[in-house]
Amino acid sequence: MAEAVEPRAEDKGPRSRESDHPFLARVAGNQIVTRREGRDGDLAVFDFGAAPSRRRSLLVLKLDHIGDFLMALPALQKLRSAFRGDRITLICGPWNAPFARAAGIADDIRVFNFFPEDGSRWSGAPVDSLETFRAVAAGRFDLALDLRVDEDTRFLLAHVDAAQKAGIGARDKHPFLDVLLPAQFARRHSDPPAVLLDPYRFQSRMPFQRPIFHETDFSVTNAHLLFGPDHALPAGRFRATWGLRLRTPIRRFPGVDIVVDVARHSGRDIVGSRRISWGRRADSPMAAEIEFTNDEPGAPHEFRLHARGRPLWARLRFFGVWIEQLDRTSFPRFRPSELHVGEQLSLLVQLVEERARPTGEPAWPPGAPTQGLPGSFAWPKAKRRVVMAPISNSRVRDWGLNNYARLAQL
């Protein structure tokens, strides 16, 4: 293989060197450009560890009260340090905006009333409307993060336009989260309890069925893919959330119509219905929500999903239905936790930092000592180095050791 080019201290930019190798066109900084022997034009460009070419944009939700906000300050400061140079937008309660400005933890501070200022007056529903939140959270973000341990604000992330979304919770309840810290350190009591209806409890026409999800390739269509499980509910106001994830190479997902609904009396009485739209993203999770009222205590309810059409190369995964009562009269309480709330939020920020770090960016500042770090090691001193990883986690992806041996000789 052609030798790499070492930059000199006096160089002010990446050096570029043309190569006479039949397959290697040139090396420039972190880039290696290959070509076909005897043909003009580049065949492929491999970019190793290039830093992002633009400033990233982050949205952080911290909507609770002053005490919780102060406990989250170490996590917010850690986030500011981890994403130094990127733009952070914070959405908080209006009573916390002065603290946020004084702490210098965000570039842009916006306010939204999810809770009332007096927490004892909270009814369980957001004070301001969802339309208001969408307006406050308007914009396109690289990362959206909910810095609240309790999961009552997590659904708001489903209404944010972000490439990645992060929070604390369970995958089956929040399938729209890309970076997720499991909610294993604190659980909540609720009265009456929220209920997760697992996929195995439904009558399913999806061809791929697993204990924690069902999946369809739309080979079965123009029918209810899911229905059931005739779950009895008390009288009250409820929210049902379908955990869905769509995978398709077609950006706008044409040729299919998906509807979810809630029905009583073996489907004769439909109490709520919603048509699903995934918007612009090609591979996008969705938490489809329907709010409905049950005025028949003990009435069995069906939660259904209907698909019409046959999109090409698309797959839809179903994780279950989460049911919450919105008009509960008592408030949840925390059980004893293994970790403090502030510690859990700091762990989430650390996980987000590691997942969002660009390829090739060091995990610690340049020049910092690496001795004693878990899994750390020092490269042997050498002017030139080639690293090969010849084995993957699938034989389909493996090129063959003989081929790598030949490449190493070249």
Side-chain angles (χ1 to χ4, degrees):
M1 186 171 181
E3 60 185 31
V5 178
E6 289 290 316
R8 297 176 306 200
E10 63 267 28
D11 288 338
K12 297 183 179 180
R15 294 184 64 191
S16 177
R17 172 180 172 179
E18 297 297 325
S19 169
D20 56 2
H21 192 276
F23 299 109
L24 182 65
R26 62 186 178 275
V27 178
N30 288 329
Q31 279 192 353
I32 293 179
V33 182
T34 65
R35 64 188 176 199
R36 291 185 181 180
E37 186 175 14
R39 296 191 183 184
D40 295 331
D42 296 338
L43 175 62
V45 177
F46 298 93
D47 205 335
F48 295 97
S53 58
R54 63 177 179 83
R55 191 183 185 194
R56 290 174 294 184
S57 179
L58 285 73
L59 179 70
V60 181
L61 306 184
K62 190 57 184 165
L63 298 171
D64 32 20
H65 293 91
I66 293 176
D68 291 300
F69 189 88
L70 293 177
M71 286 190 291
L73 277 178
L76 287 163
Q77 291 167 344
K78 185 174 183 177
L79 187 73
R80 175 75 282 179
S81 177
F83 291 88
R84 186 182 294 108
D86 294 324
R87 180 175 179 81
I88 297 179
T89 298
L90 173 70
I91 301 180
C92 62
W95 47 83
N96 284 325
F99 292 103
R101 294 189 182 97
I105 51 180
D107 303 284
D108 181 18
I109 296 172
R110 309 175 187 178
V111 297
F112 175 72
N113 290 285
F114 185 88
F115 301 101
E117 188 169 3
D118 181 356
S120 65
R121 297 181 179 274
W122 189 44
S123 65
V127 174
D128 289 342
S129 68
L130 194 55
E131 290 72 20
T132 300
F133 174 78
R134 291 192 185 103
V136 171
R140 173 67 177 170
F141 300 92
D142 297 289
L143 173 68
L145 169 66
D146 185 6
L147 271 186
R148 179 167 164 81
V149 172
D150 194 18
E151 301 177 43
D152 44 17
T153 60
R154 207 75 74 247
F155 75 95
L156 293 173
L157 288 178
H159 302 277
V160 174
D161 186 4
Q164 286 188 303
K165 301 176 183 181
I168 297 174
R171 174 65 62 195
D172 50 6
K173 185 179 177 183
H174 306 297
F176 52 86
L177 293 181
D178 302 287
V179 181
L180 184 145
L181 182 70
Q184 59 188 16
F185 307 113
R187 298 295 182 189
R188 295 192 68 162
H189 294 289
S190 59
D191 183 20
V195 176
L196 174 64
L197 302 180
D198 294 295
Y200 70 85
R201 299 182 60 181
F202 288 78
Q203 297 292 321
S204 174
R205 293 191 176 101
M206 292 190 172
F208 307 98
Q209 300 183 15
R210 302 292 183 270
I212 62 172
F213 68 85
H214 290 182
E215 186 177 82
T216 181
D217 57 1
F218 296 97
S219 56
V220 178
T221 187
N222 300 336
H224 279 98
L225 300 183
L226 296 158
F227 53 94
D230 287 330
H231 182 75
L233 294 174
R237 183 77 180 164
F238 295 87
R239 179 191 294 122
T241 304
W242 282 253
L244 304 173
R245 187 176 186 92
L246 170 72
R247 293 186 181 276
T248 173
I250 303 176
R251 187 170 182 82
R252 295 189 179 275
F253 193 46
V256 70
D257 187 31
I258 296 177
V259 175
V260 294
D261 64 57
V262 182
R264 287 192 302 238
H265 307 305
S266 300
R268 295 192 303 272
D269 182 11
I270 297 179
V271 297
S273 179
R274 180 177 176 180
R275 190 180 307 275
I276 304 301
S277 172
W278 267 264
R280 295 176 297 170
R281 294 186 61 189
D283 178 3
S284 176
M286 168 65 73
E289 298 177 353
I290 293 178
E291 294 187 7
F292 63 96
T293 299
N294 178 34
D295 52 8
E296 300 182 23
H301 287 69
E302 277 192 279
F303 303 87
R304 309 187 299 186
L305 184 148
H306 186 277
R308 182 181 298 275
R310 197 182 298 272
L312 294 176
W313 307 301
R315 302 179 82 88
L316 179 69
R317 185 170 289 186
F318 167 70
F319 295 92
V321 176
W322 186 263
I323 306 171
E324 300 169 277
Q325 186 164 357
L326 302 179
D327 54 358
R328 56 184 182 266
T329 57
S330 61
F331 292 92
R333 293 290 183 263
F334 284 105
R335 293 179 182 174
S337 173
E338 297 179 21
L339 293 179
H340 187 267
V341 168
E343 293 174 317
Q344 295 179 63
L345 296 178
S346 292
L347 281 176
L348 176 60
V349 169
Q350 180 178 339
L351 181 62
V352 168
E353 178 192 2
E354 292 175 355
R355 296 283 183 88
R357 183 183 301 124
T359 304
E361 183 177 307
W364 48 87
T370 60
Q371 296 300 324
L373 289 174
S376 64
F377 61 93
W379 287 105
K381 292 183 178 180
K383 292 183 178 180
R384 303 178 181 91
R385 184 178 301 109
V386 174
V387 178
M388 292 187 179
I391 300 174
S392 74
N393 62 354
S394 170
R395 291 185 178 181
V396 175
R397 299 186 180 97
D398 287 344
W399 190 33
L401 292 178
N402 292 336
N403 294 322
Y404 277 102
R406 176 58 180 156
L407 178 61
Q409 292 171 359
L410 292 174

